Amino acid sequence: MTATNGLRLLPWSSPEGKPCFLSTDGSSSRLSRRADEVEDLQLSMGAELLGHARALLNDRKADVREVRFLAERLCEALRDALRVAESRGERLPTHDDDSDADQTGEDTKPSCAPCHCVHNSHGERSPALVTEE
C-alpha cells in the first residue's frame, strides 16, 4: 500500500486563485497541522451555515436578498467541503498489487475499526453495514 505522490492539496488558494500544494512525507509538519485546522474550521462553519440555511428557508418572511446571500455562502461552503474531500481522498492509501486476494481469488475487505469502512481491492473506502447484535 502506498500513499499518493506526496503532494497535499491545501485548503486555500494562491492570490491568483490557483490551488496550493504541500510536498510532505507525513502529517506532522507545522504547515500540515495548520491545514488540518483550517479544514476542520471550514467543515464546522459549513455545518453551522447549514443550520442557518434551514432556519432561513423555513422563514416565509425571508426576502430574495437574504436567500441570495445564503445561496452564495452555501456555494462557498460546498466549494470548501469538496476541496477538503478531494485533499483527504488523495491522501488515502492505495493498493499497489493484488495482495488482498485470498487463496480462493476473492478480494478481502479489511474493516477500519474507528470508522467501520470497508476497503475494496482498489483501496477505495465504502461504508460498511454495522449491525447491533
Side-chain angles (χ1 to χ4, degrees):
M1 228 190 293
T2 61
T4 56
N5 61 8
L7 292 179
R8 176 185 178 165
L9 176 64
L10 294 172
W12 53 80
S13 300
S14 72
E16 297 82 29
K18 296 182 180 181
C20 293
F21 294 89
L22 173 64
S23 178
T24 182
D25 290 337
S27 60
S28 60
S29 74
R30 191 172 119 195
L31 187 55
S32 187
R33 288 191 310 272
R34 179 67 178 141
D36 289 340
E37 293 169 1
V38 170
E39 286 179 351
D40 290 344
L41 178 63
Q42 288 173 330
L43 293 176
S44 66
M45 289 174 64
E48 187 174 335
L49 180 62
L50 192 56
H52 291 300
R54 179 57 48 209
L56 183 65
L57 293 174
N58 287 334
D59 181 2
R60 298 211 179 258
K61 295 179 182 179
D63 67 23
V64 70
R65 290 181 317 223
E66 291 173 306
V67 174
R68 183 174 180 81
F69 182 81
L70 170 65
E72 289 172 0
R73 300 300 76 79
L74 286 170
C75 285
E76 292 167 358
L78 178 58
R79 180 202 61 221
D80 291 344
L82 290 173
R83 186 182 200 98
V84 169
E86 180 182 354
S87 176
R88 291 181 179 181
E90 288 174 351
R91 288 180 278 141
L92 290 175
T94 58
H95 294 276
D96 289 340
D97 57 343
D98 294 331
S99 62
D100 285 341
D102 65 14
Q103 300 297 6
T104 64
E106 303 267 333
D107 284 341
T108 59
K109 297 183 190 268
S111 175
C112 291
C115 63
H116 301 289
C117 290
V118 174
H119 298 261
N120 66 18
S121 61
H122 303 291
E124 300 164 329
R125 295 185 340 173
S126 58
L129 178 61
V130 178
T131 58
E132 299 274 331
E133 293 184 16

